[in-house]
């Protein structure tokens, strides 16, 4: 998961003209549903650059089979805000591709509809992924890929996976002393912090973001930031910071964390599947293991992120959009193509089974995420990112833990109210 960044939106439309009429007419498909007859219609899909390119041939095929024109438009940055704004203006797409933790905000803004998956279709997905796209008891998106953090290590520098954070620091310091590495750990912090990447350490040390209710759902009324437990957790994190062991540094940023690892300046990288392509390109001999926790503390809990397809509530062709996401995206062929565009574990079990034999990293990321929890999709999560991240960065730099986390908790609480 890359850090969310705001910026100018570059939109590139890839118009895909449908060739001929749909061959199936109104005959029921394999799932038992009848595809909508949308002759002369148009389906508009928004996705980021990589997924737009991967979707193009499949959108073309879908258009030919249904007698419609399909346009895949690449939204380079700030996709969620762009989608919500366009939805409110009536100029949005029919289908949106994005992260599952958008759901609470999108539902709150009336931007998406529930998707109409059958029970058999639901059973075909990784159940953690399906849970991630479920909000208030309804499934709001079709998941296609999962992601979670792991510890990626250079096996030439560190043959054995560290069992604890303390083991990692000991190995990193030894490599520094031997002039084999300049950094103990590559975990992106930057000047604004990174709530996502620090979360496994934070949970291992006993911290939470939100409590849960009787059904196991996140409860925004039970804010975990600013509590004694969160302060104690950051006391442990502070010992890893610039005034402590130096394992966490603000100079390790989203822009350079992976490059520092592939440049062999650190033996350990906390990242997700998106980092593997760069490691392979740099010919790094690597292995993947779970992010370690603190000695004698709780098991670390990374976030489970899910990439998914949404049906726009204010799209101009909602029936066709439902057909596309529920009966076309649930086939292994497209899921495998999206995996090939960017290797993240497919959420569709049949697709995962197809690619796992040729990619041993998939099973290792899955193992590293065995304890992962879905990234909170509640709207109140938006209040967490900035204050929590900035508090992390300040503490890594040496700021007083109690004052910093208490202030962050108050800021978050005020925003939620």
């Amino acid at each position: 998961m890359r850090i969310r960044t705001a910026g100018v939106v570059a939109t590139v439309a890839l118009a895909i003209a449908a060739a001929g009429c749909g061959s199936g007419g109104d005959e029921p498909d394999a799932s038992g549903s009848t595809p909508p007859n949308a002759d002369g219609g148009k389906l508009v899909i928004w996705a980021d650059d990589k997924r737009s390119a991967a979707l193009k041939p499949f959108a073309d095929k879908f258009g030919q089979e249904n007698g419609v024109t399909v346009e895949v438009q690449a939204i380079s940055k700030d996709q969620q805000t762009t989608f919500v704004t366009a939805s409110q203006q009536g100029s949005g797409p029919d289908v949106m591709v994005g992260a599952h933790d958008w759901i609470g905000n999108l539902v709150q803004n009336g931007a998406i509809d529930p998707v109409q998956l059958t029970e058999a279709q639901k059973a075909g997905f990784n159940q953690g992924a399906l849970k991630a796209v479920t909000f208030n008891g309804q499934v709001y998106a079709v998941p296609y890929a999962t992601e979670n953090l792991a510890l990626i290590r250079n096996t030439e520098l560190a043959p054995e996976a560290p069992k604890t954070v303390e083991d990692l620091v000991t190995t990193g310091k030894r490599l520094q002393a031997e002039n084999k590495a300049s950094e103990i750990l590559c975990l992106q912090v930057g000047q604004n912090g990174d709530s996502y990447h620090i979360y496994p350490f934070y949970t291992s040390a006993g911290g939470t973001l939100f409590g849960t209710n009787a059904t196991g759902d996140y409860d925004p009324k039970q804010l975990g930031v600013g509590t004694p437990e969160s302060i104690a957790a950051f006391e442990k994190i502070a010992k890893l910071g610039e005034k402590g062991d130096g394992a966490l540094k603000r100079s390790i940023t989203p822009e350079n964390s992976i490059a520092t690892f592939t440049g062999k300046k650190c033996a350990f990288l906390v990242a997700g599947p998106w980092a593997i392509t760069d490691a392979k390109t740099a010919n790094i001999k690597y292995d993947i293991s779970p992010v370690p926790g603190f000695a004698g503390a709780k098991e670390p809990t990374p976030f489970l992120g899910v990439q998914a397809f949404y049906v726009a509530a204010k799209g101009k062709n909602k029936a066709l959009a439902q057909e596309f996401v529920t009966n076309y995206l649930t086939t292994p062929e497209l899921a495998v193509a999206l995996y090939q565009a960017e290797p993240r574990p497919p959420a569709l079990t049949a697709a995962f089974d197809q690619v796992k034999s040729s990619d041993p990293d998939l099973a290792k990321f899955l193992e590293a995420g065995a304890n992962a929890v879905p990234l909170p999709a509640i709207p109140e999560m938006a209040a967490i990112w900035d204050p929590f991240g900035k508090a992390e960065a300040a503490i890594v730099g040496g700021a007083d833990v109690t004052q910093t986390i208490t202030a962050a908790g108050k800021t978050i609480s005020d925003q939620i109210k």
Side-chain angles (χ1 to χ4, degrees), residues 74-107:
I75 308 299
S76 297
K77 293 182 180 180
D78 205 17
Q79 292 97 341
Q80 183 181 180
T81 301
T82 303
F83 174 51
V84 170
T85 301
S87 174
Q88 293 169 343
Q89 296 174 346
S91 58
D94 300 295
V95 175
M96 181 73 208
V97 185
H100 85 271
D101 60 306
W102 297 2
I103 290 177
N105 183 47
L106 297 184
V107 171

PDB file of all heavy atoms in Angstrom, residues 74-107:
ATOM      1  N   ALA A  74      -7.856   6.157 -16.897  1.00  0.00           N
ATOM      2  CA  ALA A  74      -6.822   6.068 -15.863  1.00  0.00           C
ATOM      3  C   ALA A  74      -6.792   7.341 -15.021  1.00  0.00           C
ATOM      4  O   ALA A  74      -6.558   8.427 -15.540  1.00  0.00           O
ATOM      5  CB  ALA A  74      -5.453   5.843 -16.514  1.00  0.00           C
ATOM      6  N   ILE A  75      -7.029   7.192 -13.734  1.00  0.00           N
ATOM      7  CA  ILE A  75      -6.967   8.304 -12.788  1.00  0.00           C
ATOM      8  C   ILE A  75      -5.667   8.126 -11.996  1.00  0.00           C
ATOM      9  O   ILE A  75      -5.541   7.215 -11.181  1.00  0.00           O
ATOM     10  CB  ILE A  75      -8.173   8.305 -11.832  1.00  0.00           C
ATOM     11  CG1 ILE A  75      -9.479   8.220 -12.630  1.00  0.00           C
ATOM     12  CG2 ILE A  75      -8.155   9.535 -10.944  1.00  0.00           C
ATOM     13  CD1 ILE A  75      -9.717   9.363 -13.581  1.00  0.00           C
ATOM     14  N   SER A  76      -4.701   8.979 -12.246  1.00  0.00           N
ATOM     15  CA  SER A  76      -3.356   8.741 -11.734  1.00  0.00           C
ATOM     16  C   SER A  76      -3.208   8.975 -10.240  1.00  0.00           C
ATOM     17  O   SER A  76      -2.451   8.276  -9.574  1.00  0.00           O
ATOM     18  CB  SER A  76      -2.353   9.623 -12.491  1.00  0.00           C
ATOM     19  OG  SER A  76      -2.331   9.276 -13.857  1.00  0.00           O
ATOM     20  N   LYS A  77      -3.905   9.974  -9.694  1.00  0.00           N
ATOM     21  CA  LYS A  77      -3.725  10.312  -8.285  1.00  0.00           C
ATOM     22  C   LYS A  77      -5.049  10.725  -7.642  1.00  0.00           C
ATOM     23  O   LYS A  77      -5.982  11.123  -8.335  1.00  0.00           O
ATOM     24  CB  LYS A  77      -2.711  11.453  -8.123  1.00  0.00           C
ATOM     25  CG  LYS A  77      -1.288  11.083  -8.524  1.00  0.00           C
ATOM     26  CD  LYS A  77      -0.345  12.257  -8.291  1.00  0.00           C
ATOM     27  CE  LYS A  77       1.088  11.894  -8.683  1.00  0.00           C
ATOM     28  NZ  LYS A  77       2.021  13.030  -8.468  1.00  0.00           N
ATOM     29  N   ASP A  78      -5.078  10.605  -6.311  1.00  0.00           N
ATOM     30  CA  ASP A  78      -6.208  11.093  -5.532  1.00  0.00           C
ATOM     31  C   ASP A  78      -7.529  10.528  -6.043  1.00  0.00           C
ATOM     32  O   ASP A  78      -8.525  11.233  -6.196  1.00  0.00           O
ATOM     33  CB  ASP A  78      -6.230  12.626  -5.562  1.00  0.00           C
ATOM     34  CG  ASP A  78      -6.940  13.208  -4.357  1.00  0.00           C
ATOM     35  OD1 ASP A  78      -7.121  12.478  -3.365  1.00  0.00           O
ATOM     36  OD2 ASP A  78      -7.315  14.389  -4.408  1.00  0.00           O
ATOM     37  N   GLN A  79      -7.537   9.200  -6.265  1.00  0.00           N
ATOM     38  CA  GLN A  79      -8.684   8.579  -6.917  1.00  0.00           C
ATOM     39  C   GLN A  79      -9.968   8.685  -6.105  1.00  0.00           C
ATOM     40  O   GLN A  79     -11.044   8.949  -6.655  1.00  0.00           O
ATOM     41  CB  GLN A  79      -8.380   7.092  -7.192  1.00  0.00           C
ATOM     42  CG  GLN A  79      -7.309   6.860  -8.240  1.00  0.00           C
ATOM     43  CD  GLN A  79      -5.941   6.624  -7.634  1.00  0.00           C
ATOM     44  OE1 GLN A  79      -5.701   6.965  -6.473  1.00  0.00           O
ATOM     45  NE2 GLN A  79      -5.030   6.065  -8.412  1.00  0.00           N
ATOM     46  N   GLN A  80      -9.886   8.484  -4.791  1.00  0.00           N
ATOM     47  CA  GLN A  80     -11.104   8.481  -3.983  1.00  0.00           C
ATOM     48  C   GLN A  80     -11.801   9.840  -3.990  1.00  0.00           C
ATOM     49  O   GLN A  80     -13.020   9.927  -4.218  1.00  0.00           O
ATOM     50  CB  GLN A  80     -10.794   8.071  -2.531  1.00  0.00           C
ATOM     51  CG  GLN A  80     -12.039   7.993  -1.676  1.00  0.00           C
ATOM     52  CD  GLN A  80     -11.772   7.608  -0.233  1.00  0.00           C
ATOM     53  OE1 GLN A  80     -12.681   7.505   0.576  1.00  0.00           O
ATOM     54  NE2 GLN A  80     -10.515   7.410   0.129  1.00  0.00           N
ATOM     55  N   THR A  81     -11.040  10.899  -3.749  1.00  0.00           N
ATOM     56  CA  THR A  81     -11.624  12.239  -3.730  1.00  0.00           C
ATOM     57  C   THR A  81     -12.191  12.601  -5.090  1.00  0.00           C
ATOM     58  O   THR A  81     -13.280  13.190  -5.209  1.00  0.00           O
ATOM     59  CB  THR A  81     -10.568  13.275  -3.309  1.00  0.00           C
ATOM     60  OG1 THR A  81     -10.081  12.934  -2.006  1.00  0.00           O
ATOM     61  CG2 THR A  81     -11.163  14.678  -3.270  1.00  0.00           C
ATOM     62  N   THR A  82     -11.460  12.242  -6.143  1.00  0.00           N
ATOM     63  CA  THR A  82     -11.918  12.519  -7.504  1.00  0.00           C
ATOM     64  C   THR A  82     -13.233  11.816  -7.775  1.00  0.00           C
ATOM     65  O   THR A  82     -14.165  12.384  -8.369  1.00  0.00           O
ATOM     66  CB  THR A  82     -10.860  12.070  -8.515  1.00  0.00           C
ATOM     67  OG1 THR A  82      -9.625  12.730  -8.238  1.00  0.00           O
ATOM     68  CG2 THR A  82     -11.294  12.406  -9.939  1.00  0.00           C
ATOM     69  N   PHE A  83     -13.340  10.559  -7.328  1.00  0.00           N
ATOM     70  CA  PHE A  83     -14.558   9.781  -7.547  1.00  0.00           C
ATOM     71  C   PHE A  83     -15.744  10.379  -6.792  1.00  0.00           C
ATOM     72  O   PHE A  83     -16.834  10.534  -7.347  1.00  0.00           O
ATOM     73  CB  PHE A  83     -14.315   8.334  -7.121  1.00  0.00           C
ATOM     74  CG  PHE A  83     -15.531   7.458  -7.163  1.00  0.00           C
ATOM     75  CD1 PHE A  83     -16.327   7.387  -8.299  1.00  0.00           C
ATOM     76  CD2 PHE A  83     -15.886   6.684  -6.057  1.00  0.00           C
ATOM     77  CE1 PHE A  83     -17.448   6.566  -8.342  1.00  0.00           C
ATOM     78  CE2 PHE A  83     -16.998   5.870  -6.088  1.00  0.00           C
ATOM     79  CZ  PHE A  83     -17.788   5.809  -7.229  1.00  0.00           C
ATOM     80  N   VAL A  84     -15.550  10.724  -5.516  1.00  0.00           N
ATOM     81  CA  VAL A  84     -16.638  11.284  -4.717  1.00  0.00           C
ATOM     82  C   VAL A  84     -17.113  12.608  -5.319  1.00  0.00           C
ATOM     83  O   VAL A  84     -18.314  12.851  -5.453  1.00  0.00           O
ATOM     84  CB  VAL A  84     -16.198  11.481  -3.248  1.00  0.00           C
ATOM     85  CG1 VAL A  84     -17.242  12.280  -2.476  1.00  0.00           C
ATOM     86  CG2 VAL A  84     -15.968  10.134  -2.578  1.00  0.00           C
ATOM     87  N   THR A  85     -16.167  13.461  -5.694  1.00  0.00           N
ATOM     88  CA  THR A  85     -16.530  14.761  -6.276  1.00  0.00           C
ATOM     89  C   THR A  85     -17.294  14.577  -7.578  1.00  0.00           C
ATOM     90  O   THR A  85     -18.328  15.220  -7.813  1.00  0.00           O
ATOM     91  CB  THR A  85     -15.263  15.596  -6.529  1.00  0.00           C
ATOM     92  OG1 THR A  85     -14.573  15.793  -5.290  1.00  0.00           O
ATOM     93  CG2 THR A  85     -15.616  16.947  -7.132  1.00  0.00           C
ATOM     94  N   ALA A  86     -16.799  13.671  -8.428  1.00  0.00           N
ATOM     95  CA  ALA A  86     -17.464  13.429  -9.715  1.00  0.00           C
ATOM     96  C   ALA A  86     -18.848  12.822  -9.505  1.00  0.00           C
ATOM     97  O   ALA A  86     -19.803  13.151 -10.222  1.00  0.00           O
ATOM     98  CB  ALA A  86     -16.602  12.509 -10.576  1.00  0.00           C
ATOM     99  N   SER A  87     -18.973  11.956  -8.507  1.00  0.00           N
ATOM    100  CA  SER A  87     -20.264  11.346  -8.207  1.00  0.00           C
ATOM    101  C   SER A  87     -21.281  12.412  -7.815  1.00  0.00           C
ATOM    102  O   SER A  87     -22.426  12.404  -8.283  1.00  0.00           O
ATOM    103  CB  SER A  87     -20.103  10.323  -7.078  1.00  0.00           C
ATOM    104  OG  SER A  87     -21.355   9.809  -6.677  1.00  0.00           O
ATOM    105  N   GLN A  88     -20.855  13.356  -6.981  1.00  0.00           N
ATOM    106  CA  GLN A  88     -21.750  14.423  -6.540  1.00  0.00           C
ATOM    107  C   GLN A  88     -22.160  15.338  -7.693  1.00  0.00           C
ATOM    108  O   GLN A  88     -23.249  15.914  -7.691  1.00  0.00           O
ATOM    109  CB  GLN A  88     -21.073  15.223  -5.440  1.00  0.00           C
ATOM    110  CG  GLN A  88     -20.876  14.428  -4.146  1.00  0.00           C
ATOM    111  CD  GLN A  88     -19.976  15.119  -3.141  1.00  0.00           C
ATOM    112  OE1 GLN A  88     -19.240  16.040  -3.475  1.00  0.00           O
ATOM    113  NE2 GLN A  88     -20.031  14.670  -1.883  1.00  0.00           N
ATOM    114  N   GLN A  89     -21.283  15.427  -8.680  1.00  0.00           N
ATOM    115  CA  GLN A  89     -21.550  16.288  -9.836  1.00  0.00           C
ATOM    116  C   GLN A  89     -22.252  15.552 -10.968  1.00  0.00           C
ATOM    117  O   GLN A  89     -22.604  16.157 -11.982  1.00  0.00           O
ATOM    118  CB  GLN A  89     -20.233  16.879 -10.351  1.00  0.00           C
ATOM    119  CG  GLN A  89     -19.549  17.805  -9.356  1.00  0.00           C
ATOM    120  CD  GLN A  89     -18.182  18.266  -9.815  1.00  0.00           C
ATOM    121  OE1 GLN A  89     -17.610  17.710 -10.764  1.00  0.00           O
ATOM    122  NE2 GLN A  89     -17.630  19.285  -9.152  1.00  0.00           N
ATOM    123  N   GLY A  90     -22.438  14.241 -10.799  1.00  0.00           N
ATOM    124  CA  GLY A  90     -23.081  13.461 -11.848  1.00  0.00           C
ATOM    125  C   GLY A  90     -22.189  13.176 -13.040  1.00  0.00           C
ATOM    126  O   GLY A  90     -22.694  12.884 -14.132  1.00  0.00           O
ATOM    127  N   SER A  91     -20.882  13.252 -12.838  1.00  0.00           N
ATOM    128  CA  SER A  91     -19.958  13.036 -13.955  1.00  0.00           C
ATOM    129  C   SER A  91     -18.984  11.891 -13.701  1.00  0.00           C
ATOM    130  O   SER A  91     -17.922  11.816 -14.302  1.00  0.00           O
ATOM    131  CB  SER A  91     -19.158  14.323 -14.214  1.00  0.00           C
ATOM    132  OG  SER A  91     -18.433  14.716 -13.055  1.00  0.00           O
ATOM    133  N   GLY A  92     -19.361  10.995 -12.776  1.00  0.00           N
ATOM    134  CA  GLY A  92     -18.473   9.897 -12.416  1.00  0.00           C
ATOM    135  C   GLY A  92     -18.619   8.697 -13.326  1.00  0.00           C
ATOM    136  O   GLY A  92     -19.411   8.684 -14.272  1.00  0.00           O
ATOM    137  N   PRO A  93     -17.878   7.621 -13.028  1.00  0.00           N
ATOM    138  CA  PRO A  93     -17.916   6.401 -13.832  1.00  0.00           C
ATOM    139  C   PRO A  93     -19.065   5.492 -13.415  1.00  0.00           C
ATOM    140  O   PRO A  93     -19.824   5.801 -12.490  1.00  0.00           O
ATOM    141  CB  PRO A  93     -16.571   5.754 -13.497  1.00  0.00           C
ATOM    142  CG  PRO A  93     -16.378   6.108 -12.046  1.00  0.00           C
ATOM    143  CD  PRO A  93     -16.924   7.514 -11.904  1.00  0.00           C
ATOM    144  N   ASP A  94     -19.147   4.349 -14.094  1.00  0.00           N
ATOM    145  CA  ASP A  94     -20.086   3.306 -13.685  1.00  0.00           C
ATOM    146  C   ASP A  94     -19.425   2.333 -12.715  1.00  0.00           C
ATOM    147  O   ASP A  94     -20.084   1.776 -11.838  1.00  0.00           O
ATOM    148  CB  ASP A  94     -20.578   2.540 -14.920  1.00  0.00           C
ATOM    149  CG  ASP A  94     -21.289   3.437 -15.905  1.00  0.00           C
ATOM    150  OD1 ASP A  94     -22.358   3.959 -15.556  1.00  0.00           O
ATOM    151  OD2 ASP A  94     -20.756   3.633 -17.015  1.00  0.00           O
ATOM    152  N   VAL A  95     -18.123   2.131 -12.899  1.00  0.00           N
ATOM    153  CA  VAL A  95     -17.355   1.210 -12.064  1.00  0.00           C
ATOM    154  C   VAL A  95     -16.087   1.920 -11.613  1.00  0.00           C
ATOM    155  O   VAL A  95     -15.419   2.590 -12.406  1.00  0.00           O
ATOM    156  CB  VAL A  95     -16.983  -0.077 -12.836  1.00  0.00           C
ATOM    157  CG1 VAL A  95     -16.071  -0.978 -12.002  1.00  0.00           C
ATOM    158  CG2 VAL A  95     -18.246  -0.830 -13.257  1.00  0.00           C
ATOM    159  N   MET A  96     -15.745   1.774 -10.335  1.00  0.00           N
ATOM    160  CA  MET A  96     -14.536   2.384  -9.781  1.00  0.00           C
ATOM    161  C   MET A  96     -13.673   1.292  -9.169  1.00  0.00           C
ATOM    162  O   MET A  96     -14.173   0.421  -8.452  1.00  0.00           O
ATOM    163  CB  MET A  96     -14.907   3.412  -8.701  1.00  0.00           C
ATOM    164  CG  MET A  96     -13.727   4.126  -8.084  1.00  0.00           C
ATOM    165  SD  MET A  96     -12.993   5.326  -9.226  1.00  0.00           S
ATOM    166  CE  MET A  96     -11.285   5.339  -8.659  1.00  0.00           C
ATOM    167  N   VAL A  97     -12.375   1.347  -9.445  1.00  0.00           N
ATOM    168  CA  VAL A  97     -11.424   0.399  -8.860  1.00  0.00           C
ATOM    169  C   VAL A  97     -10.653   1.126  -7.768  1.00  0.00           C
ATOM    170  O   VAL A  97     -10.099   2.208  -7.992  1.00  0.00           O
ATOM    171  CB  VAL A  97     -10.447  -0.137  -9.921  1.00  0.00           C
ATOM    172  CG1 VAL A  97      -9.545  -1.218  -9.317  1.00  0.00           C
ATOM    173  CG2 VAL A  97     -11.205  -0.694 -11.120  1.00  0.00           C
ATOM    174  N   GLY A  98     -10.618   0.546  -6.553  1.00  0.00           N
ATOM    175  CA  GLY A  98      -9.919   1.219  -5.468  1.00  0.00           C
ATOM    176  C   GLY A  98      -9.762   0.339  -4.247  1.00  0.00           C
ATOM    177  O   GLY A  98     -10.113  -0.846  -4.259  1.00  0.00           O
ATOM    178  N   ALA A  99      -9.261   0.925  -3.178  1.00  0.00           N
ATOM    179  CA  ALA A  99      -8.989   0.201  -1.943  1.00  0.00           C
ATOM    180  C   ALA A  99     -10.268   0.003  -1.132  1.00  0.00           C
ATOM    181  O   ALA A  99     -11.182   0.819  -1.161  1.00  0.00           O
ATOM    182  CB  ALA A  99      -7.958   0.960  -1.107  1.00  0.00           C
ATOM    183  N   HIS A 100     -10.307  -1.093  -0.363  1.00  0.00           N
ATOM    184  CA  HIS A 100     -11.522  -1.411   0.384  1.00  0.00           C
ATOM    185  C   HIS A 100     -11.804  -0.420   1.500  1.00  0.00           C
ATOM    186  O   HIS A 100     -12.973  -0.238   1.893  1.00  0.00           O
ATOM    187  CB  HIS A 100     -11.430  -2.818   0.982  1.00  0.00           C
ATOM    188  CG  HIS A 100     -10.724  -2.865   2.304  1.00  0.00           C
ATOM    189  ND1 HIS A 100      -9.357  -3.025   2.432  1.00  0.00           N
ATOM    190  CD2 HIS A 100     -11.190  -2.727   3.581  1.00  0.00           C
ATOM    191  CE1 HIS A 100      -9.025  -3.011   3.703  1.00  0.00           C
ATOM    192  NE2 HIS A 100     -10.104  -2.830   4.429  1.00  0.00           N
ATOM    193  N   ASP A 101     -10.768   0.256   2.019  1.00  0.00           N
ATOM    194  CA  ASP A 101     -11.007   1.147   3.155  1.00  0.00           C
ATOM    195  C   ASP A 101     -11.663   2.463   2.736  1.00  0.00           C
ATOM    196  O   ASP A 101     -11.922   3.315   3.576  1.00  0.00           O
ATOM    197  CB  ASP A 101      -9.713   1.408   3.939  1.00  0.00           C
ATOM    198  CG  ASP A 101      -8.625   2.055   3.113  1.00  0.00           C
ATOM    199  OD1 ASP A 101      -8.278   1.517   2.052  1.00  0.00           O
ATOM    200  OD2 ASP A 101      -8.100   3.103   3.531  1.00  0.00           O
ATOM    201  N   TRP A 102     -11.961   2.592   1.449  1.00  0.00           N
ATOM    202  CA  TRP A 102     -12.760   3.727   0.999  1.00  0.00           C
ATOM    203  C   TRP A 102     -14.241   3.544   1.358  1.00  0.00           C
ATOM    204  O   TRP A 102     -15.017   4.502   1.324  1.00  0.00           O
ATOM    205  CB  TRP A 102     -12.698   3.864  -0.516  1.00  0.00           C
ATOM    206  CG  TRP A 102     -11.368   4.142  -1.137  1.00  0.00           C
ATOM    207  CD1 TRP A 102     -10.152   4.261  -0.506  1.00  0.00           C
ATOM    208  CD2 TRP A 102     -11.109   4.336  -2.527  1.00  0.00           C
ATOM    209  NE1 TRP A 102      -9.162   4.507  -1.424  1.00  0.00           N
ATOM    210  CE2 TRP A 102      -9.719   4.558  -2.663  1.00  0.00           C
ATOM    211  CE3 TRP A 102     -11.901   4.333  -3.667  1.00  0.00           C
ATOM    212  CZ2 TRP A 102      -9.113   4.777  -3.908  1.00  0.00           C
ATOM    213  CZ3 TRP A 102     -11.310   4.550  -4.903  1.00  0.00           C
ATOM    214  CH2 TRP A 102      -9.939   4.773  -5.019  1.00  0.00           C
ATOM    215  N   ILE A 103     -14.656   2.315   1.624  1.00  0.00           N
ATOM    216  CA  ILE A 103     -16.080   1.974   1.647  1.00  0.00           C
ATOM    217  C   ILE A 103     -16.896   2.882   2.569  1.00  0.00           C
ATOM    218  O   ILE A 103     -17.943   3.406   2.174  1.00  0.00           O
ATOM    219  CB  ILE A 103     -16.281   0.502   2.047  1.00  0.00           C
ATOM    220  CG1 ILE A 103     -15.792  -0.414   0.914  1.00  0.00           C
ATOM    221  CG2 ILE A 103     -17.754   0.207   2.339  1.00  0.00           C
ATOM    222  CD1 ILE A 103     -15.884  -1.894   1.228  1.00  0.00           C
ATOM    223  N   GLY A 104     -16.444   3.063   3.820  1.00  0.00           N
ATOM    224  CA  GLY A 104     -17.224   3.868   4.752  1.00  0.00           C
ATOM    225  C   GLY A 104     -17.485   5.269   4.233  1.00  0.00           C
ATOM    226  O   GLY A 104     -18.617   5.773   4.301  1.00  0.00           O
ATOM    227  N   ASN A 105     -16.454   5.890   3.697  1.00  0.00           N
ATOM    228  CA  ASN A 105     -16.595   7.241   3.153  1.00  0.00           C
ATOM    229  C   ASN A 105     -17.489   7.253   1.923  1.00  0.00           C
ATOM    230  O   ASN A 105     -18.330   8.154   1.750  1.00  0.00           O
ATOM    231  CB  ASN A 105     -15.218   7.806   2.811  1.00  0.00           C
ATOM    232  CG  ASN A 105     -15.278   9.239   2.319  1.00  0.00           C
ATOM    233  OD1 ASN A 105     -15.930  10.085   2.913  1.00  0.00           O
ATOM    234  ND2 ASN A 105     -14.597   9.527   1.221  1.00  0.00           N
ATOM    235  N   LEU A 106     -17.340   6.246   1.056  1.00  0.00           N
ATOM    236  CA  LEU A 106     -18.153   6.201  -0.168  1.00  0.00           C
ATOM    237  C   LEU A 106     -19.631   5.971   0.153  1.00  0.00           C
ATOM    238  O   LEU A 106     -20.507   6.577  -0.459  1.00  0.00           O
ATOM    239  CB  LEU A 106     -17.625   5.116  -1.110  1.00  0.00           C
ATOM    240  CG  LEU A 106     -16.197   5.296  -1.643  1.00  0.00           C
ATOM    241  CD1 LEU A 106     -15.857   4.199  -2.634  1.00  0.00           C
ATOM    242  CD2 LEU A 106     -16.008   6.672  -2.284  1.00  0.00           C
ATOM    243  N   VAL A 107     -19.903   5.097   1.121  1.00  0.00           N
ATOM    244  CA  VAL A 107     -21.284   4.863   1.524  1.00  0.00           C
ATOM    245  C   VAL A 107     -21.867   6.122   2.159  1.00  0.00           C
ATOM    246  O   VAL A 107     -23.002   6.516   1.877  1.00  0.00           O
ATOM    247  CB  VAL A 107     -21.368   3.672   2.506  1.00  0.00           C
ATOM    248  CG1 VAL A 107     -22.774   3.561   3.105  1.00  0.00           C
ATOM    249  CG2 VAL A 107     -21.002   2.371   1.805  1.00  0.00           C
TER     250      VAL A 107
END
